[in-house]
Amino acid sequence: MAMRIAFHEQQKFAQPWIWLIVIGVTLLALYGAYQQLIVGVPFGDQPMSTPGLLAFCLSMLGAVALFGTMQLTTDIDDDGIHMAFVPFVKRHMPWSDIKHIEVLDYGFVGGWGIRPWTRYGTVYNVRGRHGLAIELKNGRKLLIGTQNADHLAGVLREKRAQLNANI
């Protein structure tokens, strides 16, 4: 029997300024490689070695690919909370493992991505300042960013009523 998904959110790094920086630096690296390797003109006042320049180009192309594939997905169903921050982590938290849960404004936690060792435990976010703060019965904490805080809070109210729990 399929679980009814009460909440689904999929977020990507869609901020234009992030893409402008990542793609801009990548294009600059590729232009430098073209100048130095194809045209034969050293790129810059203190040009990189050819292997160094190629490694930098490959790492920047890897960054573009990484930012293109990264996504934060949150699903809430009758079984619990499912979170995946592709390609890094995938977690499932059954309702029976959750001690406390709430949607809150967490402010700034030092950037976006995966932020360990915050007062909320590990924070998984791609933008914004609202998230689902979860404390597990084993004492571990985490926070999953959301762009739909009001809808998520409503889903949690429904789940609390269904589970008749103090989560």
Side-chain angles (χ1 to χ4, degrees):
M1 183 170 137
M3 293 282 172
R4 182 183 77 83
I5 295 178
F7 180 83
H8 172 79
E9 182 176 22
Q10 189 172 40
Q11 304 173 69
K12 293 181 85 92
F13 284 95
Q15 299 91 322
W17 66 269
I18 289 176
W19 284 104
L20 185 64
I21 291 170
V22 172
I23 291 175
V25 172
T26 302
L27 290 175
L28 183 64
L30 291 171
Y31 175 73
Y34 170 78
Q35 282 291 105
Q36 192 163 313
L37 301 173
I38 306 299
V39 177
V41 176
F43 184 67
D45 293 338
Q46 297 179 343
M48 272 185 169
S49 67
T50 297
L53 188 55
L54 290 174
F56 182 64
C57 286
L58 288 175
S59 67
M60 290 310 302
L61 289 169
V64 170
L66 180 65
F67 273 94
T69 59
M70 277 195 301
Q71 64 183 14
L72 176 60
T73 304
T74 308
D75 287 309
I76 297 177
D77 61 24
D78 296 335
D79 191 39
I81 299 169
H82 309 265
M83 182 275 296
F85 201 150
V86 174
F88 304 109
V89 65
K90 184 176 184 176
R91 297 201 53 186
H92 169 243
M93 292 146 287
W95 292 114
S96 60
D97 290 353
I98 297 173
K99 177 180 177 181
H100 181 76
I101 189 169
E102 69 178 308
V103 177
L104 51 78
D105 180 340
Y106 58 83
F108 183 71
V109 291
W112 296 299
I114 300 173
R115 297 286 177 240
W117 309 298
T118 74
R119 67 184 222 161
Y120 305 105
T122 302
V123 174
Y124 304 92
N125 64 357
V126 297
R127 67 179 178 264
R129 50 185 298 143
H130 293 95
L132 180 62
I134 303 167
E135 182 180 358
L136 301 174
K137 290 179 180 174
N138 66 10
R140 293 184 67 182
K141 294 180 179 181
L142 68 139
L143 186 138
I144 306 167
T146 184
Q147 303 306 304
N148 297 310
D150 293 338
H151 177 58
L152 181 54
V155 168
L156 285 183
R157 281 190 295 276
E158 289 176 18
K159 284 295 166 197
R160 281 188 183 109
Q162 284 177 358
L163 296 170
N164 197 18
N166 292 325
I167 59 172

